[in-house]
Amino acid sequence: MGSHRRGRRIGRLSARIVTSLLLTALVVASAAGNASALEGALSGYIGPGTYTITGDISVPAGQTLTLAPGVVFEFEDGFWEEYEFDIEGALLAEGSDILPISFRAVSGVPEYNYIRIRSSDTVMRHCIIEDVGKVTALNEGGLWVDNCSPLIEDCEIVSASWHGVYVTGSSALPTIRRTVSHDNGNDGFDADSGAGLHLEHCVSYGNGEDGICLASGSNTLVGCLVYGNGEDGIDCHGVTDYDAAVVNCTVGPHPGEGLSDDSAYRLYNTLVVDSNDGVAVAEHSLVVDDLSFFGFVDPASGDFRLTAGSPAVNYGTRFGAAGTMLPGNDLDGNARVQGIVDAGAYESSHAVDPETGGTWFSENLLRPRMGQPVFREDGESFTALVGLMGSYSAGSVAAQLVDPEGGTHPLNVVDLTAADLTPGSGLAMKLYRPGLETVQQVSLLIPVGTPDDVYRFEVTVGGYTYFSRSAVRVYDTYPISYGVLHITDTHIGYDQETYTATERLQFFVQEANFLDPELVILTGDVCENQNLGHDWPQQYLAAVADLRVPIYVVPGNHDHYNDGADYNPAGRLRYFHEINRFRNSRLDIGSARFYGLNSQFNYGLADFYRCHGPSDAALDWVEADAGMLAPSESPRFLLMHGPNYDYFSWNMTNTGRVRDIMELCDFDLGPAGHTHRFETFLNSGENSFGRNDFEHEDDWGRDVPFPGYPLHVQTSSLGKEEHLSYEAARELEGMETDAASAAAREMGFSSVGEAVTELARAAAASRSGKRGLFGDDIGWRWIQIDGAEVGFFTADTDGDGYRNTEDPWLLGEIRFDLVTNPDGSIVSSVENRHYETWTDVRHHVPADPSTDYLVSGGTLLRRLPDGTAVVAVSSVGPLATSVVTLEPTTGVASGSHVAFGLRSVRPNPFNPRTTIRFVLPEAGTATLSIYSVDGGRVATLADGHLQAGSHRVLWEAKDDDGNPVSSGVYFARLSFEGREARARMTVLK
């Protein structure tokens, strides 16, 4: 058990030990009369034995009192007064683990006044102080250190009626080591009147008020455990001018706060059970109000050691400020081991996890990986970064690329170096994840002739294999003209609308795969809140797992949050490291340069949730790095979450410097997020109220042809609905044919098709009626790169030939439909509802991996292992539909090309309703039913005699009893005269 357990055992045994010693003890005292009774001035040597204190005692100034191991002072209570011990000279009370020195009240006496130390020459070791009290009128007492700095080690203070240890005076800075203060009436350790404390491996628990209360002196708490006190864990009398470094401490649960009045605390490798937001520094520390989060062994019984799965294991650091104060051992006396220290007071015995596991990538593969990809031509090199302790040779490394069809392509290992994560290093600025102490830097060469493709990356170092999907993009020659898709504010975990944020991201992935850009960039707020236990990283990663192009992610303010609706100031980005291990980074595609910056967490509601803005260190790096670029290294993008310009200047700090750097270093565009609005901003002039402020605010909303665009762009949320959807067109699409035609005629249109098109056009022309997938202002931007310039990044949303200065492309305006016919043929239809011509697009058509197909409507590029056919189409124009058909080359049934089958399911995926369209070649009995993936019938939508021709049936995602079905995959099955057709559909809720 820990030292606090050992202290209580000593307390119980001390009386028995002293009793046996009295038989042979030699007593030497400065008091006359009874050799076991003491009062007045004391000095010299007192041998082992029990002494009754019959009056006030003291050590005069300039004199020394030495107490032998085994000495017991029992304070007798006078009728009018309680006795006290004043030490103005030096007290040398040095017991041992077996023979401690004890100070206590006589049996039946509740307390004595205090032990007051006024000399820095005093040393107390292996002492037990019990029943100490205070002078009530003066409110002073306990084991009282008054304006001096003695040494106190391996002591136990228990059952004091007031504070256990009380320290006063601006010259007071005692060193107290391995000392337990528990079950006292007020604070375990209390500093006041400008005093400071230096506590090492101390324990404070079970006290009536605070565990430790600090004053405005210099305070250092190292390796301490504080838990189960009556009010706060660590407090500071409400003062704000104190200095407190808290290193490798554990602060358990308290009725008040773990850290109170916390604005000046500097936490290093520390664990605190608390919810607050005010610490000055929190490095490699966690402040969380959920006790179970920490993975302590048995906190209910005071055991705060770490289980194997604790997030505190290997979470600390041996570098920087923490390293200068890092204790050599833990509270149990075990050495801080394995290079990576644990956070908290205890070091675990669990081996360092190299973190090679993971569904989508290995945790400790830092780059390249999903969220931090690499783009190179064949014949070029790149550096892989792996977080792994130890030293390895280049000969122990192997690396390869794996293409989408499973083919492997070896990489040449050029070099391997290990870099410690020391303060001030380049890694320290970019890399934030606590627990990473050493990074293996592996230089790799892509052999000439490696095929143009997007690859899974694999590297083996010292027997550990690390991997990531969609991590490396290899070119024969860098592209000159290409697109980059910009999304922002996916807010995974925001599930308060009809469709969740995860479902919206899945829709985007389908659209992105069709458009086939070179890169997707996500500018923060990946999650809604980093709720403890929330699986948002896995939701996000599962949603983008099928993305066929690399994605580059920078953090937003929500990604810093933790612990429910609030954020954990000592564990910001606690979960975001599962998405990207970099705060700030750079990505290149040929001559294009992308700098991704962390605009940090927000100031809070009083400041309109503005981000802090990029740090000085990050901007120093950008300015130095971008300032060295050649003019040909363009275009240049500065990515961050908080916009640099907005109504409220959403980045609170460094806005002017960001503007200057963009101008000085010739940045072309600054994609951002955060405000959930479609906006653009100039990079010069007065922008605090200026959307589209080319000349005057009256220009807001007008169409401006390109070129002439501003340098700063803002994209709206992808994940949160704005509730301004235009429903008329959707309602028409869901109606039966006759009803839809009648409704269209009533609105003055000649056909349903014309009505849908014109209503959509009218909605797009109106700011308040603009429709995304399920609501207003949900969209993405296509950033067109032409050589060294940005061609455009805004859309023509009303078809008038001009790109509107604010508008991006709306999510959901690319419609997907997939039908499998009874002859085994598969029809993939993609409808483009944008006023845009998309070129070199891709259909990804699910198909039977054991069947060969003839492809029409496009060019078959490849078959994936799951059977998916990737088909290229040269272009699809505005308001046009691209149709690709896969026909099996064997096993085609006779008569399979008659006009029969399921033609479409729209929308798909859907919630809460979709329209199923089918065709019958002649009149007859037909049945249309819905089945689950396990083959169970869910609902029958049609069953009886139907006329020949086209039919449409509405399904509202309910079973035959009217109960809503759950999210998942379902199949529509049409049966007619011995023939059958089926279509796959997805219900999203």
Side-chain angles (χ1 to χ4, degrees):
M1 303 302 293
S3 59
H4 58 295
R5 298 283 185 173
R6 184 168 59 250
R8 282 188 281 181
R9 176 175 55 82
I10 292 171
R12 288 194 297 270
L13 295 178
S14 60
R16 192 186 322 158
I17 294 169
V18 170
T19 300
S20 66
L21 289 171
L22 286 175
L23 298 176
T24 57
L26 173 64
V27 179
V28 179
S30 61
N34 186 348
S36 63
L38 301 174
E39 64 177 53
L42 305 176
S43 63
Y45 175 83
I46 296 180
T50 298
Y51 302 87
T52 303
I53 308 304
T54 57
D56 293 343
I57 58 175
S58 66
V59 178
Q63 299 188 36
T64 300
L65 173 65
T66 301
L67 303 182
V71 166
V72 178
F73 277 11
E74 291 189 340
F75 288 81
E76 194 175 70
D77 186 14
F79 184 78
W80 292 108
E81 58 187 350
E82 296 167 346
Y83 302 136
E84 59 200 41
F85 188 4
D86 271 298
I87 305 163
E88 296 187 3
L91 172 67
L92 302 180
E94 300 184 72
S96 68
D97 193 29
I98 297 175
L99 296 176
I101 296 171
S102 294
F103 301 89
R104 65 193 184 203
V106 171
S107 178
V109 173
E111 66 177 32
Y112 52 99
N113 276 343
Y114 53 75
I115 300 174
R116 184 183 188 184
I117 302 171
R118 303 179 69 181
S119 168
S120 297
D121 295 327
T122 291
V123 176
M124 300 182 75
R125 289 191 176 98
H126 294 287
C127 295
I128 300 173
I129 297 96
E130 302 178 70
D131 311 321
V132 67
K134 68 172 181 176
V135 178
T136 303
L138 300 178
N139 218 29
E140 294 175 331
L143 177 58
W144 180 7
V145 178
D146 189 10
N147 218 35
C148 62
S149 303
L151 175 63
I152 301 172
E153 294 182 332
D154 300 294
C155 293
E156 179 181 12
I157 300 95
V158 59
S159 301
S161 63
W162 197 45
H163 302 312
V165 178
Y166 183 54
V167 184
T168 59
S170 59
S171 296
L173 184 59
T175 296
I176 305 176
R177 299 189 179 105
R178 299 177 299 280
T179 292
V180 183
S181 182
H182 66 99
D183 296 299
N184 301 297
N186 285 57
D187 300 339
F189 298 87
D190 184 277
D192 204 353
S193 305
L197 285 175
H198 181 85
L199 306 183
E200 296 180 17
H201 295 112
C202 293
V203 180
S204 180
Y205 70 93
N207 300 291
E209 294 187 359
D210 301 329
I212 301 173
C213 196
L214 305 176
S216 57
S218 177
N219 300 281
T220 307
L221 313 181
V222 179
C224 297
L225 173 63
V226 184
Y227 71 96
N229 298 287
E231 292 186 4
D232 301 322
I234 305 177
D235 199 349
C236 61
H237 291 291
V239 301
T240 58
D241 59 344
Y242 65 97
D243 176 69
V246 184
V247 185
N248 275 101
C249 292
T250 297
V251 181
H254 289 84
E257 297 177 302
L259 300 176
S260 181
D261 303 317
D262 51 9
S263 60
Y265 290 117
R266 292 177 288 119
L267 306 183
Y268 307 94
N269 301 349
T270 287
L271 307 176
V272 183
V273 181
D274 192 11
S275 179
N276 70 86
D277 59 4
V279 295
V281 175
E283 294 183 3
H284 296 249
S285 299
L286 290 167
V287 180
V288 175
D289 66 0
D290 182 354
L291 175 63
S292 65
F293 171 77
F294 293 94
F296 297 129
V297 170
D298 188 9
S301 63
D303 191 342
F304 287 85
R305 294 168 183 82
L306 306 175
T307 59
S310 169
V313 173
N314 299 328
Y315 196 80
T317 181
R318 56 195 166 100
F319 296 122
T324 64
M325 297 178 282
L326 185 68
N329 48 39
D330 73 352
L331 194 56
D332 276 339
N334 300 316
R336 292 285 176 181
V337 296
Q338 303 173 13
I340 304 178
V341 302
D342 296 337
Y346 294 99
E347 185 73 21
S348 73
S349 60
H350 309 295
V352 174
D353 185 354
E355 294 193 281
T356 59
T359 303
W360 322 109
F361 44 69
S362 301
E363 286 291 306
N364 271 11
L365 176 61
L366 312 180
R367 188 180 66 196
R369 75 172 195 180
M370 286 175 63
Q372 188 64 229
V374 162
F375 294 75
R376 292 291 188 274
E377 285 183 350
D378 62 337
E380 293 186 327
S381 62
F382 67 91
T383 300
L385 302 179
V386 178
L388 179 64
M389 295 290 293
S391 178
Y392 306 91
S393 66
S396 69
V397 178
Q400 65 180 2
L401 303 176
V402 182
D403 65 39
E405 296 172 80
T408 59
H409 306 266
L411 298 169
N412 297 330
V413 179
V414 178
D415 192 18
L416 170 67
T417 58
D420 283 337
L421 185 56
T422 55
S425 71
L427 286 175
M429 199 278 296
K430 301 176 189 175
L431 194 65
Y432 65 81
R433 201 264 173 139
L436 284 172
E437 294 289 287
T438 302
V439 176
Q440 307 295 329
Q441 302 176 119
V442 186
S443 179
L444 299 167
L445 179 70
I446 303 171
V448 174
T450 302
D452 187 310
D453 218 332
V454 177
Y455 290 94
R456 169 189 168 102
F457 172 72
E458 295 179 357
V459 61
T460 299
V461 182
Y464 297 107
T465 298
Y466 300 84
F467 74 95
S468 177
R469 63 197 304 168
S470 301
V472 177
R473 177 70 169 93
V474 176
Y475 297 102
D476 296 329
T477 304
Y478 285 118
I480 296 175
S481 180
Y482 58 92
V484 172
L485 281 178
H486 171 213
I487 61 174
T488 190
D489 293 76
T490 54
H491 285 282
I492 300 300
Y494 182 81
D495 299 340
Q496 301 176 25
E497 308 295 347
T498 303
Y499 291 84
T500 69
T502 302
E503 291 162 353
R504 291 194 179 91
L505 181 57
Q506 290 170 330
F507 273 96
F508 167 77
V509 167
Q510 192 174 21
E511 295 191 0
N513 285 338
F514 176 72
L515 297 176
D516 195 39
E518 293 304 312
L519 173 69
V520 172
I521 55 177
L522 169 52
T523 52
D525 277 7
V526 183
C527 71
E528 172 65 4
N529 286 304
Q530 292 202 31
N531 299 332
L532 293 175
H534 186 32
D535 62 350
W536 73 264
Q538 294 306 312
Q539 288 186 36
Y540 163 80
L541 292 169
V544 299
D546 290 330
L547 187 63
R548 312 290 185 184
V549 299
I551 185 168
Y552 178 42
V553 188
V554 298
N557 59 302
H558 275 253
D559 302 320
H560 291 74
Y561 295 177
N562 208 324
D563 195 16
D566 202 350
Y567 58 85
N568 171 13
R572 298 187 177 101
L573 299 172
R574 171 68 183 92
Y575 297 102
F576 183 78
H577 79 264
E578 298 181 37
I579 307 301
N580 191 346
R581 284 293 179 88
F582 289 82
R583 281 192 181 116
N584 309 283
S585 57
R586 173 180 141 178
L587 180 146
D588 301 343
I589 302 179
S591 65
R593 302 290 178 261
F594 298 83
Y595 291 85
L597 298 185
N598 173 27
S599 50
Q600 306 188 75
F601 52 94
N602 52 285
Y603 273 78
L605 183 59
D607 293 288
F608 304 103
Y609 284 99
R610 307 173 210 178
C611 299
H612 279 241
S615 67
D616 290 334
L619 292 177
D620 288 345
W621 164 66
V622 172
E623 187 170 6
D625 192 85
M628 296 177 64
L629 296 178
S632 59
E633 295 178 273
S634 293
R636 303 172 188 179
F637 302 89
L638 191 61
L639 282 58
M640 66 189 81
H641 179 67
N644 203 47
Y645 301 102
D646 203 342
Y647 298 116
F648 306 108
S649 187
W650 286 101
N651 279 342
M652 283 289 291
T653 58
N654 284 325
T655 55
R657 189 174 178 200
V658 169
R659 179 196 65 211
D660 294 343
I661 288 175
M662 289 184 73
E663 293 180 353
L664 177 67
C665 299
D666 294 322
F667 278 92
D668 294 82
L669 211 59
H674 190 61
T675 67
H676 296 195
R677 295 195 298 265
F678 292 149
E679 300 169 322
T680 54
F681 301 88
L682 291 171
N683 195 49
S684 59
E686 181 60 46
N687 285 273
S688 58
F689 291 95
R691 301 194 306 177
N692 293 341
D693 193 10
F694 292 97
E695 296 178 0
H696 189 268
E697 64 182 15
D698 293 340
D699 291 335
W700 290 7
R702 74 182 178 94
D703 290 349
V704 176
F706 280 70
Y709 51 82
L711 291 180
H712 193 99
V713 58
Q714 157 68 22
T715 299
S716 177
S717 167
L718 186 74
K720 288 188 175 181
E721 185 174 355
E722 302 296 330
H723 291 297
L724 296 175
S725 60
Y726 186 82
E727 297 292 338
R730 289 173 62 189
E731 291 175 1
L732 277 175
E733 289 182 301
M735 292 181 181
E736 293 288 343
T737 303
D738 293 342
S741 297
R745 287 193 299 271
E746 288 178 7
M747 288 185 281
F749 300 108
S750 60
S751 68
V752 173
E754 180 188 2
V756 169
T757 298
E758 292 305 317
L759 287 171
R761 187 192 298 271
S766 168
R767 183 72 185 156
S768 62
K770 191 178 313 160
R771 182 168 58 87
L773 181 57
F774 308 111
D776 177 53
D777 286 0
I778 299 175
W780 39 264
R781 291 187 187 270
W782 175 277
I783 301 173
Q784 178 64 32
I785 296 175
D786 295 322
E789 297 182 348
V790 175
F792 58 85
F793 60 84
T794 59
D796 176 6
T797 53
D798 55 12
D800 65 356
Y802 291 103
R803 297 189 181 280
N804 301 347
T805 53
E806 291 184 359
D807 293 341
W809 288 263
L810 302 178
L811 182 65
E813 293 302 280
I814 298 177
R815 306 296 178 88
F816 297 86
D817 193 36
L818 187 69
V819 173
T820 301
N821 292 312
D823 62 354
S825 64
I826 305 169
V827 180
S828 170
S829 300
V830 182
E831 182 182 359
N832 173 28
R833 294 198 173 186
H834 295 296
Y835 295 95
E836 187 75 53
T837 296
W838 302 111
T839 59
D840 195 20
V841 294
R842 303 283 188 269
H843 286 246
H844 293 81
V845 187
D848 185 347
S850 63
T851 302
D852 292 329
Y853 295 89
L854 293 175
V855 176
S856 60
T859 302
L860 179 65
L861 297 180
R862 69 179 356 144
R863 295 290 302 281
L864 302 180
D866 65 358
T868 297
V870 182
V871 181
V873 175
S874 59
S875 67
V876 55
L879 307 179
T881 300
S882 172
V883 179
V884 167
T885 302
L886 275 58
E887 295 187 79
T889 58
T890 59
V892 180
S894 62
S896 63
H897 294 290
V898 297
F900 163 78
L902 289 163
R903 288 296 176 252
S904 67
V905 178
R906 295 180 182 172
N908 187 21
F910 67 95
N911 184 10
R913 63 184 64 86
T914 190
T915 299
I916 303 170
R917 297 171 175 84
F918 60 93
V919 176
L920 299 180
E922 57 192 24
T925 300
T927 302
L928 177 65
S929 299
I930 307 297
Y931 288 81
S932 61
V933 290
D934 60 5
R937 186 176 59 81
V938 175
T940 298
L941 306 182
D943 187 13
H945 186 83
L946 296 177
Q947 297 298 318
S950 297
H951 300 266
R952 55 173 75 186
V953 177
L954 183 69
W955 185 43
E956 296 187 323
K958 296 179 180 179
D959 63 18
D960 280 335
D961 295 326
N963 301 313
V965 300
S966 59
S967 297
V969 175
Y970 296 85
F971 292 91
R973 183 183 299 172
L974 175 67
S975 301
F976 175 77
E977 302 295 333
R979 284 178 278 179
E980 187 172 278
R982 62 187 177 88
R984 185 177 184 270
M985 62 187 75
T986 302
V987 176
L988 296 177
K989 291 189 175 180

